Amino acid sequence: MRISQLSAESGVPIPTIKFYLREGLLPQGEQTSATRAEYDQSHLRRLRLIRALLEVGRLPVATIRKIIEAVQDEETDIHDMLGTAHYALSPAPEPAPDDADWRDAREMVDHLVADLDWDRVQPDAPTRDELAQTLVTLKHLGMPVTRDELLPYAKAADTLVREHDIRKIPLDGPRDTAVEALVICQVLYGKAFDAMRRLAQESESARHFGFRPSDDCAGVTPRKGPEA
Amino acid sequence: MRISQLSAESGVPIPTIKFYLREGLLPQGEQTSATRAEYDQSHLRRLRLIRALLEVGRLPVATIRKIIEAVQDEETDIHDMLGTAHYALSPAPEPAPDDADWRDAREMVDHLVADLDWDRVQPDAPTRDELAQTLVTLKHLGMPVTRDELLPYAKAADTLVREHDIRKIPLDGPRDTAVEALVICQVLYGKAFDAMRRLAQESESARHFGFRPSDDCAGVTPRKGPEA
DNA sequence: CGATATTGGCAAGTAGTACTATCCAGATAT
DNA sequence: ATATCTGGATAGTACTACTTGCCAATATCG
């Protein structure tokens, strides 16, 4: 397959494909001559992964590259590869705020990790800091979170991952396939869950404010329109 | 409170505050003279909200402005205000892909909404399209999702929203407080949940690949270090 | 009263991200 | 043999979220 075909089948413009090649997101095709290279299904697959992580996952190119580099490095064992993938997905937290609120939050996170038996999580995993940072922010916004409030969310996350996410990952297949599936699962199911939470919240908040289904579809509630 | 104090208490530089004022994210202070304006706690509170949505929620400034404009517009009733807030949180989906995969996905979403009794969700809510788009992407990546697989996620979202999220929103207070709480809850609890899912996944995937807790903390597993 | 600092307001500039356009010489296709 | 395509390189673009610089009008302080 040549670059024009790769572009046609993926819907990604040729200059953009060249850009991904330069950036190391997409491996070089097999050079058949000085001015020709051959691409295959793996390139198409990779291209679709890149677009999914960019467009749906909104991951920066640099993050996608980190993940891809870890996958491609044959030296890295699968554990470090998974670690790299997970940590790349944590937006870099600003270094050590180091005040009382932050230490409290971080302690709560560590307790939570222990309570949920997430004992394989590294003690210095950036995800812990990320969660702590979010809890601090909630507190500063006047919506402090207690451990009891957080626990049901953590349990739901745990159940979904253990009973569903992990089953979708081919644990016995080749390592790059496993990491790829893990990242897709993490990012896209995350997006899907987020959308569902928004649907639930839209329905539930409307219910609490006393609106009936299709009230304003029927035009009963006046809305700002061209003629209103 | 003057702008310098607002800056000092929030940690946001003065030029950035001026920028937010220009952009309409922060309401003007009360002008006491041609070159002086007075700010109060509401400005500080708003500033913290902006920073939380920007830094933790990674929402674009334009989205934050949309939400804030809806809150400030006294004409808008609370239902439309909530709608605006929810829809601003859906990244604008590209218009009508209109192929078979997309229609299937959209149908699955509509079934899901019906099954979960999310009957206050508008039939044309962009969140439906957003979820459908994510399902299509998953299919194109070779990880198609069935209704049975999606259902547990939807149920978890529903339970969390109905039993926890909604309780944190002051439904009887002033309308701007309610919308603000709703947005904070949606965005920050979303982030927190995402982090917890990542923690669960890190622990669970390590477990499946046969790693023990603190295996590599003790240096048993050789890692790429300065001396390795 | 006068020196210094602060404020609001505006215009222009900057850094980072994700492309996009242009050009080129060397293949290939027809 | 002529038109098209390819890889490679460089430069430019559009957008976002600030940041800088400047100004004249106050405040503030000695």
Side-chain angles (χ1 to χ4, degrees):
Chain A
M1 192 192 301
R2 293 194 266 302
I3 202 172
S4 53
Q5 223 175 326
L6 195 57
S7 167
E9 294 208 28
S10 63
V12 179
I14 292 178
T16 305
I17 295 177
K18 286 184 173 185
F19 170 72
Y20 293 155
L21 286 166
R22 272 202 307 284
E23 293 290 305
L25 300 191
L26 198 59
Q28 302 289 339
E30 204 196 336
Q31 295 271 143
T32 59
S33 85
T35 61
R36 205 109 325 181
E38 189 70 14
Y39 303 93
D40 58 26
Q41 289 303 314
S42 77
H43 293 90
L44 190 52
R45 196 181 152 78
R46 168 65 59 81
L47 208 39
R48 283 203 257 258
L49 175 66
I50 293 168
R51 297 305 285 196
L53 296 183
L54 271 173
E55 291 172 3
V56 182
R58 318 234 142 203
L59 297 188
V61 165
T63 300
I64 300 175
R65 185 173 42 225
K66 268 185 223 156
I67 295 171
I68 282 172
E69 276 170 3
V71 170
Q72 280 172 347
D73 181 3
E74 302 290 331
E75 299 286 297
T76 318
D77 65 47
I78 198 160
H79 187 226
D80 285 345
M81 214 161 75
L82 294 174
T84 303
H86 275 123
Y87 300 161
L89 295 175
S90 289
E94 57 266 34
D98 205 42
D99 67 345
D101 283 342
W102 196 85
R103 272 194 297 275
D104 286 352
R106 180 57 211 248
E107 200 185 332
M108 195 154 113
V109 170
D110 291 337
H111 273 293
L112 192 77
V113 169
D115 285 354
L116 272 286
D117 264 325
W118 291 337
D119 54 3
R120 263 79 171 179
V121 176
Q122 299 279 111
D124 59 347
T127 318
R128 294 182 192 241
D129 291 341
E130 196 198 335
L131 179 53
Q133 187 56 60
T134 304
L135 297 177
V136 170
T137 304
L138 276 164
K139 189 176 178 189
H140 288 171
L141 288 170
M143 296 183 76
V145 185
T146 64
R147 248 175 88 189
D148 290 343
E149 286 172 328
L150 203 56
L151 211 55
Y153 292 88
K155 280 184 177 154
D158 189 58
T159 305
L160 288 178
V161 166
R162 299 224 321 238
E163 295 184 5
H164 303 281
D165 287 17
I166 210 78
R167 305 242 164 106
K168 299 195 181 74
I169 294 167
L171 297 162
D172 44 354
R175 32 171 262 154
D176 54 341
T177 314
V179 183
E180 205 181 289
L182 192 101
V183 172
I184 292 172
C185 190
Q186 177 67 55
V187 174
L188 295 200
Y189 275 74
K191 276 284 154 182
F193 188 80
D194 202 58
M196 288 188 274
R197 227 167 62 90
R198 224 147 51 229
L199 288 171
Q201 221 180 62
E202 181 179 345
S203 184
E204 199 60 16
S205 63
R207 189 169 295 171
H208 278 263
F209 284 111
F211 289 88
R212 311 275 310 287
S214 73
D215 244 19
D216 47 6
C217 310
V220 175
T221 304
R223 304 185 75 149
K224 286 186 294 186
E227 73 285 35
Chain B
M1 193 191 302
R2 295 196 267 301
I3 202 173
S4 53
Q5 224 175 323
L6 195 57
S7 167
E9 295 208 28
S10 63
V12 179
I14 292 179
T16 306
I17 295 178
K18 286 182 172 186
F19 170 71
Y20 294 156
L21 286 166
R22 273 203 305 285
E23 292 290 305
L25 299 191
L26 199 58
Q28 302 289 340
E30 203 195 334
Q31 295 272 145
T32 59
S33 86
T35 62
R36 208 112 317 187
E38 189 68 15
Y39 303 93
D40 58 24
Q41 290 303 314
S42 77
H43 292 92
L44 190 52
R45 195 181 151 79
R46 169 64 59 81
L47 207 39
R48 282 203 256 260
L49 175 66
I50 293 168
R51 297 305 285 196
L53 296 182
L54 271 173
E55 290 172 3
V56 182
R58 319 234 142 201
L59 297 187
V61 165
T63 300
I64 299 175
R65 186 172 42 226
K66 268 186 223 157
I67 294 171
I68 282 171
E69 277 170 1
V71 170
Q72 280 173 346
D73 182 2
E74 302 290 330
E75 300 283 299
T76 318
D77 65 48
I78 199 161
H79 187 226
D80 285 346
M81 215 162 73
L82 294 174
T84 303
H86 275 123
Y87 300 161
L89 296 176
S90 289
E94 57 266 33
D98 204 44
D99 68 345
D101 282 343
W102 197 84
R103 272 193 298 275
D104 286 353
R106 180 57 210 251
E107 199 184 334
M108 195 154 113
V109 170
D110 291 338
H111 273 292
L112 192 77
V113 169
D115 285 355
L116 273 284
D117 263 325
W118 292 337
D119 53 3
R120 262 81 169 176
V121 176
Q122 299 280 112
D124 59 347
T127 318
R128 293 184 193 238
D129 291 340
E130 197 198 336
L131 180 53
Q133 186 56 59
T134 304
L135 297 177
V136 170
T137 304
L138 275 164
K139 188 175 179 188
H140 288 172
L141 288 170
M143 296 183 76
V145 184
T146 64
R147 246 176 90 187
D148 290 343
E149 286 171 327
L150 204 56
L151 212 54
Y153 292 89
K155 280 184 177 155
D158 189 58
T159 304
L160 289 177
V161 166
R162 298 221 324 233
E163 295 183 6
H164 303 280
D165 288 17
I166 210 77
R167 304 243 165 104
K168 301 198 181 71
I169 294 167
L171 296 162
D172 44 356
R175 31 171 263 157
D176 55 340
T177 314
V179 183
E180 207 181 288
L182 191 101
V183 171
I184 292 171
C185 189
Q186 177 66 54
V187 173
L188 294 202
Y189 275 75
K191 276 284 154 181
F193 188 80
D194 202 57
M196 288 187 274
R197 227 167 61 90
R198 224 147 51 228
L199 288 171
Q201 221 179 62
E202 181 178 347
S203 183
E204 198 60 18
S205 62
R207 189 168 295 170
H208 277 264
F209 285 111
F211 289 88
R212 311 276 309 285
S214 72
D215 243 20
D216 46 7
C217 309
V220 175
T221 303
R223 302 187 75 151
K224 287 185 291 188
E227 74 285 34

